[in-house]
Structures are given as structure tokens and as C-alpha cells.
Amino acid sequence: MKRCRKERSAVDVTIVMPMYNASFWLDECLQAIIHQDFTGHMELSVFDDASNDDSWNVVASWEKRLEARGVSVVMSGSNYATPRGAGYAKNKAISQSCGQYLCFQDADDVMMPERVRLQYEASSRHPNSLIGCKVQRVPEGSTERYTRWINTTAQDQLITQVYTSHGPTVVMPTWFCSRTWFLRVGLFDEGGKGVPEDLLFFYQNIRQGGGMARVDKCLLVYRYHEMAATHSVTEETIWKLRVDFLQERVLSQWENFTIWNAGKLGRKLYRCLSPMNREKVKAFCDVDEKKIHKGFYTYEESQQRPKPKIPVLHYKAAVAPFIICVKLDMTGGVLEANLKSLHLKEGKDYYHFN
């Protein structure tokens, strides 16, 4: 460790900031912390995960300005020659801090002035929850569907849409929670590069009975760039975790179900299920007349004889519950209209998976 200041009085909110080669963005990030309108005692806890740029010196140059604003600064760094990853860095930043509440801040993002205050108030009302907020994505237009989903998902969908490919319904760069609840859920996975520590923590939050809530105001400028750590996680890693969590939380409770999509993604989900859950699939459903006319899907890789043949039906002829394997916001509203026409309840009669 390079430096760690321990002599601190009671702290209301710790801003948790893991850091790796972030010098390009740090001035804007730290200036925004100074501009917070929260009147309680804040602390900035920075852990430098083996940066080889000027990140450490940039933060050090802001220390007096931050402390003049009433934000105490705790800094330390890795003894390793190479980065250990975001989970490790976040755990280290938390362990050296003492705030009653934790506000997670990526070094390349920018807080709006009301962020800490509004999320602190929300977290006080929802002590066993992860609190998020709406975001402004930059550059504008990048990840347009994802950003729209972050900002428009309804409160009840924060719970029902946890199985989609978008990942946590309350996105990691906006997280705010009590230290007590964080420690109840457990530390971040420290597997390093390629491990989605935020998704794993999010799932564990749900297993522990934790909630999710969003402040319906844009409180963070959420930056998209190719250097972001999230790009190191493969789609297949995420897919397997999602399938396993769906089986654990939903399919284990159902006697049978229909997969909505007889195409590539629906068939892939079927093949990835456990043998027990494959037995529960009574049909695929679709709107594609060619797939429906064929009448069934044959599971060619099966060792069973005869090989399983799963009926393919029109969605109006299929029976709930459904796992929806059609991407949200990609059909010009057709999927959403079809679902609405069936008068089904999300979280009971169907879950979105893609």
C-alpha cells in the first residue's frame, strides 16, 4: 500500500472509487465530487489497481481541494505489478473506508450535483436495497437501447427483468447502498479480468432478499469507451450465469413452460437447460409462419431415443408461463403488443430473458 489515512471522524457517505489508468478522466470526475450539494460528511476512498499512468498524482493534486470542501481522502494502491481487477479494487477501497453508506463511482464517470444527496435519502428509505438512478450516456447515441432500458424500466421491472442480457437492472456505476447491507450480501468476486463481479454481486443481493430502487432523475454521466473493464467479459460467460440464475430462481418453481422464440436464441436456451428443465418445455411459440408450419423442433444432440421433438405453436395457441427469448425494443413494438394482447402479468406469467 502506498498511503492510507486512518484518523477520521464519523463519515456519512464513502465514495468508493477503484482506479486503473484513469488520469484522462479524473479531473472532471473529482470536480463533480466537490460540487455535490450533500451537507453530510463525505469521504473519497480511492484504490489504485496498479495503474501505470499518472492517475495517482492526479488524485493527490486534488486532495487539498477535496478536503477544503469537507471531503476526506483515503488513498492506497496495489503492491502487484499487474491489475487484480475491479472486484479486488472495490473491495480494497471499501475495506479502508468507514462511511455508513457506500456510493460507487467509476473514475471515468461524472456525478451530477444532487447524486449523493438524493441517493442517500433513497437509501435511508430502502436500507436493504441497491439504489440506482437514471444516466446520461456519452458519447450521445452509444448503446442507445441499453441506455433507454436503464432509464425507463419501471420499478416492478427492476425485479422481474433481472434475467435479461442487459445485466443488473440497477446498473453498477449508479449503485448506492448502506455499508451494513453491502457486508450482508458479501464482497465482490475477485476473479479479475473476465469475471462480471457486478452481476455476481447483483444476483447475491437478490438471493439475500435485497431490493432494487431507482432515483428517477439523471444523476450520472455514464461514459462509454473501449477501455472499459466490462469489455473483458465474454457473452458466453454472461449467458451461462444468466441461464443458471433463471433455472435457480424461476424454472425450479415451474412445472412446465413455453419458450417464446423458436429461432436461434430460443433453441440455444433449450439446449443449455438441465435435463430436468428441458423436460418442462412443453412448446416453443413464434410468429414466424415457416417455423410454425414445420410443427416441431428436434433436439438432434440428445442421447435420448427417440430424440425429443418439441411442438412449435403460434403464440396465441401457446400456454403460459413463458420465457421470452425475443430481444426487447427490437421489433418496432410488435412483441410488446403481442404480449399485451394476452393480458399476462410479467413476473408471474412470463419473464424476459433476452
Side-chain angles (χ1 to χ4, degrees), residues 120-352:
Y120 177 84
E121 292 169 357
S123 195
S124 299
R125 295 192 299 271
H126 305 280
N128 297 342
S129 295
L130 292 176
I131 308 299
C133 63
K134 293 184 177 182
V135 301
Q136 175 191 338
R137 195 68 149 146
V138 294
E140 187 177 348
S142 57
T143 65
E144 191 171 347
R145 286 178 54 245
Y146 178 51
T147 304
R148 185 160 54 244
W149 178 79
I150 292 171
N151 290 338
T152 61
T153 306
Q155 174 60 41
D156 56 352
Q157 291 175 318
L158 296 178
I159 298 166
T160 61
Q161 293 195 6
V162 297
Y163 309 101
T164 72
S165 56
H166 286 321
T169 50
V170 174
V171 297
M172 170 66 213
T174 72
W175 284 2
F176 192 110
C177 66
S178 72
R179 179 183 296 271
T180 301
W181 183 248
F182 174 83
L183 294 174
R184 168 81 177 276
V185 175
L187 301 178
F188 288 105
D189 188 288
E190 296 186 359
K193 188 175 181 179
V195 174
E197 82 291 335
D198 54 347
L199 182 63
L200 292 171
F201 186 93
F202 184 73
Y203 286 167
Q204 193 59 22
N205 172 71
I206 294 169
R207 291 187 183 104
Q208 293 289 341
M212 289 80 74
R214 186 184 66 223
V215 175
D216 280 326
K217 188 166 185 177
C218 178
L219 301 178
L220 188 76
V221 177
Y222 181 17
R223 205 181 303 274
Y224 177 84
H225 58 90
E226 292 304 319
M227 291 171 59
T230 186
H231 296 307
S232 71
V233 183
T234 67
E235 288 185 11
E236 280 306 308
T237 295
I238 298 292
W239 172 274
K240 185 178 187 312
L241 288 170
R242 289 170 52 224
V243 171
D244 289 349
F245 197 60
L246 179 75
Q247 294 190 107
E248 172 193 332
R249 304 291 298 186
V250 176
L251 303 187
S252 64
Q253 307 301 311
W254 286 355
E255 292 184 6
N256 51 65
F257 63 98
T258 300
I259 295 177
W260 189 309
N261 184 354
K264 182 179 178 182
L265 286 172
R267 297 195 305 268
K268 181 180 179 182
L269 174 62
Y270 174 83
R271 293 192 301 271
C272 290
L273 296 175
S274 69
M276 181 185 299
N277 284 323
R278 281 200 296 267
E279 288 284 338
K280 296 180 181 181
V281 178
K282 296 307 175 188
F284 290 89
C285 73
D286 214 294
V287 294
D288 187 326
E289 292 297 338
K290 288 183 179 178
K291 295 186 181 79
I292 296 166
H293 181 71
K294 186 177 179 181
F296 56 85
Y297 162 69
T298 303
Y299 180 32
E300 298 289 356
E301 295 88 345
S302 177
Q303 300 302 309
Q304 288 180 239
R305 294 295 181 270
K307 294 177 181 179
K309 290 187 175 183
I310 315 301
V312 178
L313 310 172
H314 190 276
Y315 77 91
K316 287 186 177 178
V319 177
F322 298 99
I323 297 298
I324 313 292
C325 287
V326 181
K327 290 184 178 180
L328 284 161
D329 199 14
M330 283 286 279
T331 60
V334 172
L335 168 67
E336 290 78 4
N338 289 344
L339 273 172
K340 189 175 181 180
S341 73
L342 298 180
H343 306 290
L344 303 174
K345 182 175 175 57
E346 185 172 356
K348 177 178 176 287
D349 302 312
Y350 69 92
Y351 283 92
H352 285 286

